[in-house]
Amino acid sequence: MANASLVSSLDADIHLVLCRFGRAGLAYIETDPAEADATTVVQNLLHGRYGWPLRVIALNVDEGWSRDVSEAMARKVHEIAEREDYELTEGTLAFMEAHSPRVVQPTLPLLVSTTLIALPHEA
């Protein structure tokens, strides 16, 4: 008898969302594998379906990899929210802030001249 699979196919990327649940702590949201694609996760972030999302992990069992895709998700949510004028929840905004690249202003050295220049004096 062949083993029955709980998941019809594991050849697709699965996205798991880690959320904060206040005093209860952290947990990955229970997700139907059929709804664990990147598009669904972005839509759920846009619509505030995750209270306090902290991180999104993508994995592909068949290919043997997993990676943090939080920055890419935050970028996509920002792009769509701006273009389509979404009003985002506090949790989604905090997620985007946490995973958006920081813009660092270069600090230029301040040069102080100690040389006095004498200007010609008109009579």
Side-chain angles (χ1 to χ4, degrees):
M1 179 170 147
N3 290 336
S5 175
L6 296 175
V7 180
S8 58
S9 173
L10 291 178
D11 62 353
D13 298 353
I14 301 292
H15 294 74
L16 302 174
V17 181
L18 179 65
C19 288
R20 179 180 311 283
F21 291 96
R23 293 174 55 180
L26 306 177
Y28 286 96
I29 300 294
E30 184 176 339
T31 304
D32 178 345
E35 296 179 6
D37 58 285
T39 301
T40 301
V41 171
V42 167
Q43 287 299 312
N44 288 344
L45 286 163
L46 285 164
H47 294 285
R49 293 190 183 112
Y50 306 122
W52 287 98
L54 301 176
R55 186 170 304 284
V56 180
I57 304 299
L59 60 99
N60 188 303
V61 175
D62 282 352
E63 295 177 10
W65 59 262
S66 65
R67 68 180 57 98
D68 184 341
V69 294
S70 302
E71 187 175 322
M73 291 289 172
R75 190 171 42 250
K76 190 65 173 176
V77 169
H78 180 267
E79 174 189 310
I80 294 170
E82 196 170 79
R83 184 179 64 234
E84 298 180 18
D85 199 30
Y86 274 86
E87 186 172 328
L88 301 173
T89 64
E90 189 176 349
T92 298
L93 289 169
F95 172 80
M96 290 171 53
E97 173 69 23
H99 297 288
S100 295
R102 304 284 189 262
V103 176
V104 179
Q105 289 285 35
T107 304
L108 299 175
L110 179 61
L111 298 176
V112 178
S113 175
T114 58
T115 306
L116 295 176
I117 300 172
L119 297 175
H121 188 95
E122 288 192 29

